[in-house]
């Protein structure tokens, strides 16, 4: 089973959950509900630590290596992420109500509700609220970048490593069991068939939005560099397919560099922007998270408002900088924003994790494709403003 990837494990977990919920006694479902309660509380406990562990290190690392080229790339990546998230919200808010009907099953936590209650509850109160963790993380990250001190910088990265090990060795391995329990309970409540019938349509919309944002990004890159957009996209296909297969932005970097070279991006820019984009630019992930969040809210009779979603997408764009390099890293980094901005419960967060990871390959492919479009834009700016030819510390001339 070790060699089995996370997505196959989640698919098997969903199938087993449906079988258990359909045919096995309710006490078994309650046993899984008890595990889910413990796991959900653990997830709630770890969320503020994930925020501090990754946001502090992410912002501090960007700041310490800051130069004008870094600033330009980061701004373009952030704007791209915001545009992708906004497009996803505008489309999903119009389309999803046509086929997503409301239910309270995902929110049900009491014995009188549809979902079976756990046998017992183990309380794990977090050390601080999510918003406190976000503010503290921004303050520490910006402060470390400003003073350029190495002590706190090293502490931040060591703490990040601890949190990443918790995610890799505890959260991710136990996630399939948790998902199995969720689907067993939802099946027992008689709601799983309708939820699954909704989300395959949601996924089709997400994939279509991925292709749309890739086209928009390369269209802008093509206009900036005066190159044919269809040729640029054709050259990107190997990078896209590699990302689908590996489900990793980092593993796709070598192929993505070759794609950037085919697109005529200068060596200094592609070797700087492509690896950086793999860390800070997640437009595809933002589309997925936004669409899934809207769908989950609609399933719970909650209609997302524009101000609410604008704040969510703006915060999401920042936390994406800190997405850890583990399967489903983007959704892990986004858990705090989902909880603080949209009020998601542990059950809704768990469903978001499952929904996100099952299509993570396509989100990653969209992310890395956008990285090369950004490389084209940065290369155009480099040419226009005549960047330092040494390119050791790439900065605009005064």
């Amino acid at each position: 089973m070790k060699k089995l990837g996370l997505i196959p494990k989640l698919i098997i977990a969903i199938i087993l959950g449906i079988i258990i919920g359909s045919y096995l006694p309710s006490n078994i479902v309650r046993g899984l509900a008890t595990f889910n309660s413990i796991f959900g509380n653990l997830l709630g406990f770890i969320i503020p630590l994930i925020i501090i562990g990754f946001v502090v290190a992410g912002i501090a690392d960007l700041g310490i290596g800051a130069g004008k080229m870094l600033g330009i790339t980061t701004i373009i990546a952030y704007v791209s992420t915001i545009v992708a998230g906004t497009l996803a919200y505008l489309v999903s808010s119009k389309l999803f109500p046509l086929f997503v009907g409301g239910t309270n099953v995902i929110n049900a936590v009491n014995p009188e509700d549809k979902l079976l209650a756990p046998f017992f509850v183990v309380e794990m109160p977090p050390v601080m609220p999510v918003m406190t963790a976000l503010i503290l993380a921004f303050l520490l990250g910006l402060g470390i970048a400003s003073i350029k001190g190495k002590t706190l910088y090293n502490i931040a990265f060591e703490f990040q490593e601890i949190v990443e090990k918790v995610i890799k060795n505890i959260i991710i391995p136990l996630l399939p069991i948790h998902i199995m329990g969720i689907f067993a309970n939802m099946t027992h409540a008689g709601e799983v068939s309708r939820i699954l019938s909704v989300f395959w349509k949601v996924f089709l919309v997400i994939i279509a939005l991925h292709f749309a944002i890739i086209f928009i990004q390369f269209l802008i890159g093509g206009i900036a560099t005066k190159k044919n957009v269809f040729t640029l996209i054709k050259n990107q296909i190997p990078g896209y397919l590699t990302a689908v297969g590996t489900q990793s932005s980092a593993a796709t970097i070598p192929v993505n560099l070759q794609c950037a070279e085919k697109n005529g991006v200068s060596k200094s820019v592609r070797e700087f922007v492509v690896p950086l984009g793999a860390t800070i630019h997640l437009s595809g992930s933002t589309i997925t998270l936004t669409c899934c969040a809207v769908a989950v809210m609609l399933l719970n009779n909650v209609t997302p408002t524009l101000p609410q979603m604008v704040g969510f997408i703006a915060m999401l764009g920042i936390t994406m900088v800190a997405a850890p390099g583990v399967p489903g890293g983007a959704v892990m980094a986004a858990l705090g924003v989902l909880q603080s901005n949209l009020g998601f419960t542990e059950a809704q967060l768990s469903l978001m994790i499952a929904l996100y990871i099952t299509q993570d390959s396509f989100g990653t492919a969209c992310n890395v494709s956008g990285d090369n479009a950004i490389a084209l834009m940065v290369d155009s700016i480099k040419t226009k403003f005549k960047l330092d030819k040494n390119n050791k510390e790439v900065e605009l001339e005064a």
Side-chain angles (χ1 to χ4, degrees), residues 69 109 132 140 148 153 159 166 230 269:
M69 177 68 82
V109 291
T132 302
L140 287 175
K148 296 180 173 61
Y153 179 81
F159 185 66
V166 172
F230 297 105
V269 170

Side-chain angles (χ1 to χ4, degrees), residues 52-98:
I52 292 174
F54 289 102
V55 173
V56 172
I59 294 176
D61 198 33
L62 282 179
I64 285 180
K68 289 182 181 175
M69 177 68 82
L70 174 61
I72 291 167
T73 306
T74 303
I75 290 171
I76 295 175
Y78 182 73
V79 170
S80 174
T81 300
I82 297 300
V83 169
T86 303
L87 176 64
Y89 166 68
L90 292 175
V91 172
S92 60
S93 63
K94 297 297 182 185
L95 287 183
F96 290 0
L98 300 177

